[in-house]
Amino acid sequence: MTVTLSATLAANEDIERRRRAGERVLHLAFGEAGLPVHPALRERLAAASEHNGYGPVAGASGLRVAAAGYWTRRGLITDPELVVCGPGSKSLLYGLLLAIGGDIVLPMPSWVSYAAQADLVGARPILVPAPPGEGGVPDPDLVAAQVRLARAQGRVVSSVLVTLPDNPTGRLATPATVGRLVEVARELDLMIISDEIYRDLLHDPDLPYTSPADLAPERTIVTTGLSKSLALGGWRIGVARLPDDGHELRARLLAVASEIWSAPAAPVQEAAAYAFGDPRELTERITRSRRLHGLLARAVHDRFVEIGADVPTPQGGFYLYPDLSHLRLGGSAEITRLLLENHGIGVLPGHAFGDDPAAARMRVAVSLLYGDTAQERLTALTSPDPLELPWIAANLHHLSMGLKELSLVRHGATAGPDPALVAAH
């Protein structure tokens, strides 16, 4: 088996190398929340720093109770005994693949690590496109056909994974699509893994949201964490809500966890228990974050639309998924290379997410546009009009000029660097 560095992490390291070498690169390739840690969380972590024991494999009781309350307040009544904590939801997803076994159905495109983790555990992912205009949930009719075909070939297909809202497209599947997928999962006896780490970052909190666990609690696992909503990616903490009567699955998952991560970091669990309690100061921070992510995602969306890109309007998180195939400059690898090397814009190619390499689609993450320092990022978070802040305006201008220069290449023109941009940097 050949194991390579995650595409997101590899792109992040490449862009940072270029920046250290003095290149001006707009970093749109890394899905980090790009915001400072709330002081209340830093205080909780510091206060718990003396806790250096391993603790229970499933996670501290206080964190499991807090996570159960988090889901219960969102309409999913949860037994703390069916909550398992881990060092990030990414680790929990890997452990779940091992605990469930068999092959897995994934949306196409989907987050780079889903298929990679399936490969690592010896599973064969089945990539199924989402319905047109949606993302994160594979088309239920195609799922049924693909699972039946795979089983006819002797394969064991055990699960299907969804992301609500989605990375990489920034779209949210409709309740009708989720409902149809649940029907297919029941008919074919598939477990559903629902990655809901962006749930609290829907740009419009009134947008209809349906979790598969709302409809099929007996076969749905929900995972989430704090890396996106509260920008705690480096703290590595996640939680999983297992299905009703999921005690056998719990035992298998804990067996896996005991051999891989033993237990989540004790001080981080203390801070996470506070966060999952939804205290007012943190829910207000999330509200501000959701607003900032939405404003920047729409601003970047508009700049791609200006050059004729086909790009669905983002609905959650800090991603969008433009298609520049109309420029006829090559597939996802070539268009990504041109943007980085000729125009100083770093994005991730669509083929890294399982998409057709011949299509010029890419994932764009806007969350590192907010500023280069903690003070700039905090100012962006609290500003009544963050798009007018000088550093954000400069970033958006850099993007606009790079995209316009790229589109001119299609028409046989050449464009030198923008004088205003050169003067600013």
Side-chain angles (χ1 to χ4, degrees), residues 108-323:
M108 184 178 72
S110 57
W111 181 46
V112 297
S113 289
Y114 296 144
Q117 287 189 350
D119 289 339
L120 284 171
V121 304
R124 294 163 60 190
I126 300 171
L127 300 177
V128 175
E134 298 187 38
V137 175
D139 188 302
D141 295 332
L142 298 178
V143 169
Q146 289 295 314
V147 170
R148 290 192 179 99
L149 176 61
R151 287 176 173 172
Q153 296 169 344
R155 294 170 61 180
V156 176
V157 185
S158 305
S159 58
V160 56
L161 185 145
V162 303
T163 314
L164 301 166
D166 183 39
N167 168 14
T169 66
R171 299 290 291 175
L172 177 67
T174 65
T177 296
V178 174
R180 285 169 47 225
L181 183 74
V182 165
E183 292 174 1
V184 169
R186 281 202 175 107
E187 180 183 351
L188 299 178
D189 193 22
L190 296 171
M191 293 290 293
I192 304 171
I193 303 173
S194 187
D195 183 347
E196 301 184 13
I197 199 165
Y198 297 97
R199 175 172 184 161
D200 292 340
L201 293 182
L202 276 179
H203 303 162
D204 177 1
D206 294 326
L207 196 66
Y209 186 101
T210 299
S211 168
D214 292 321
L215 307 176
E218 81 285 354
R219 65 178 58 252
T220 302
I221 303 157
V222 181
T223 64
T224 192
L226 302 175
S227 60
K228 310 304 178 183
S229 61
L230 286 167
L232 298 181
W235 288 23
R236 308 313 303 141
I237 193 72
V239 290
R241 178 192 186 276
L242 303 184
D244 294 352
D245 299 323
H247 297 284
E248 290 185 11
L249 176 61
R250 180 183 187 272
R252 295 196 300 273
L253 179 58
L254 292 184
V256 170
S258 71
E259 302 297 352
I260 297 180
W261 61 77
S262 299
V268 177
Q269 291 189 74
E270 292 286 332
Y274 174 69
F276 279 116
D278 288 328
R280 181 175 178 180
E281 58 193 343
L282 295 188
T283 58
E284 289 177 349
R285 165 61 67 90
I286 292 171
T287 297
R288 290 182 179 273
S289 303
R290 183 168 58 234
R291 173 181 175 269
L292 179 61
H293 296 321
L295 284 171
L296 265 292
R298 288 189 293 276
V300 170
H301 168 271
D302 291 346
R303 281 150 179 81
F304 276 94
V305 170
E306 284 176 359
I307 66 161
D310 179 10
V311 49
T313 303
Q315 296 172 300
F318 28 82
Y319 305 116
L320 53 155
Y321 200 67
D323 187 342

